Amino acid sequence: MAAGAPTIGVDLGGTNLRVGVVDAGGHVLEDRRVPAPTQADDIVETIAITARELAARNAASVVGIGAAGMVAHDGTIQYAPNLTALVGLPLRARIAALLDMAVAVDNDANVAVLAELAHGVAQGRSDVLLITLGTGIGGGIVTGGRLLRGAHGFAAEIGHFQVDPHGPRCACGQVGHWEAIASGRALGALGRAEAEAGRAPSVLASAGGDPTAITGVHVGAAAVAGEPDAVAILAVYAERVAIGLAGLANIFDPELVIVSGGLVELGDTLLGPVRRSFEGRIEGASRRPGIDIVPAALGEQAGVIGAAVLARALL
Ligand SMILES: [Zn+2]
């Protein structure tokens, strides 16, 4: 198969399953989007049927899958709090057997950074840190031009290091992880706490007056609208994002930090305060080149495109 042939990319999230065919230039030629089935056999079958159909029509011969979880080197889903039906499943082997095609599987944030490296904001870069700020926090780390996978495939679980031993419980069960204070879910919790203390009138109003209904989306929208109470909450949140980013930058020395995930839609309303707080926290800031913090370029297509890039290595 020619190196320029299209490849199949599969974005397997906790909510949605997307399968697309992507050309060598990173363009999605066509794609299918369905709610992710809840049973493992149904997920496997849906991926295989859709990939087979798209591959046949577009002369594609390889499949890449980005999955929301910890993916072992052999393509087994080792741990996936949002895809519990797949835990322990040898996803790569199962799909490959059904399709009789070469298949690669990796973590969804890992494939997102591959997408940005090949076709997005990180083209030509070799040391890049990508974070996804959504319900949780995910990460992909490229160092020296190579994706950091670790001994078992589980590297860059950047949401899960402890920043506060007295902090809230994390979705993974541990306490005070970065994700527990700096994810989109944590932004919602911050908004609820402020509203319950009577300090967030506009956020409360945007949630229909019910403090328990406040999510990160309400806080973000009110902050973009310039409501001072929401801007203040977002400043606290941005500082928490910057705490983790500065620590990671001190460890990995990236030339570029890419922010992706749902919260990136807030643009500079979020990234502005994150950049300012980051500058004040990184080691030796006045004696080192600046590190740009930029939004991801590929948006919700990053999963499919990155999985297709992952597959390209199989050609
Ligand atoms: Zn955790």
Side-chain angles (χ1 to χ4, degrees), residues 160 170 172 177:
H160 304 277
C170 184
C172 75
H177 281 179

Side-chain angles (χ1 to χ4, degrees), residues 185-305:
R185 190 185 279 146
L187 176 60
L190 203 54
R192 287 192 293 279
E194 289 297 293
E196 280 160 5
R199 289 192 292 263
S202 81
V203 176
L204 185 60
S206 74
D210 176 5
T212 64
I214 291 172
T215 67
V217 173
H218 296 115
V219 180
V224 168
E227 299 289 352
D229 56 336
V231 169
I233 294 169
L234 205 64
V236 172
Y237 172 75
E239 194 173 7
R240 295 177 178 183
V241 173
I243 285 170
L245 279 185
L248 289 165
N250 287 342
I251 297 167
F252 293 105
D253 185 23
E255 58 191 310
L256 184 69
V257 173
I258 304 169
V259 182
S260 68
L263 283 167
V264 82
E265 288 170 22
L266 300 178
D268 283 346
T269 303
L270 172 63
L271 295 186
V274 168
R275 290 183 188 113
R276 287 192 289 279
S277 184
F278 176 83
E279 282 301 315
R281 292 174 179 280
I282 192 164
E283 183 192 17
S286 66
R287 301 290 300 166
R288 65 193 291 165
I291 300 172
D292 287 336
I293 300 176
V294 301
L298 300 173
E300 61 170 15
Q301 288 198 316
V304 163
I305 294 173

Side-chain angles (χ1 to χ4, degrees), residues 134-161:
T135 307
I137 295 182
I141 296 166
V142 172
T143 178
R146 291 171 63 99
L147 185 65
L148 184 73
R149 288 197 164 91
H152 311 97
F154 308 151
E157 287 291 308
I158 61 172
H160 304 277
F161 65 93

Side-chain angles (χ1 to χ4, degrees), residues 10-16 64-71 77 79-83 91 104-116 130-141 147 149 153 155-158 179 260-261 299-308 310:
V10 179
D11 180 6
L12 176 56
T15 312
N16 288 307
I65 302 173
M70 289 166 62
V71 181
I77 308 297
Y79 178 71
N82 296 313
L83 284 169
L91 184 63
V105 185
D106 208 333
N107 168 267
D108 56 350
N110 282 354
V111 307
V113 77
L114 290 179
E116 296 292 340
L130 176 139
I131 69 163
T132 62
L133 292 179
T135 307
I137 295 182
I141 296 166
L147 185 65
R149 288 197 164 91
E157 287 291 308
I158 61 172
E179 173 174 304
S260 68
E300 61 170 15
Q301 288 198 316
V304 163
I305 294 173
L310 180 72

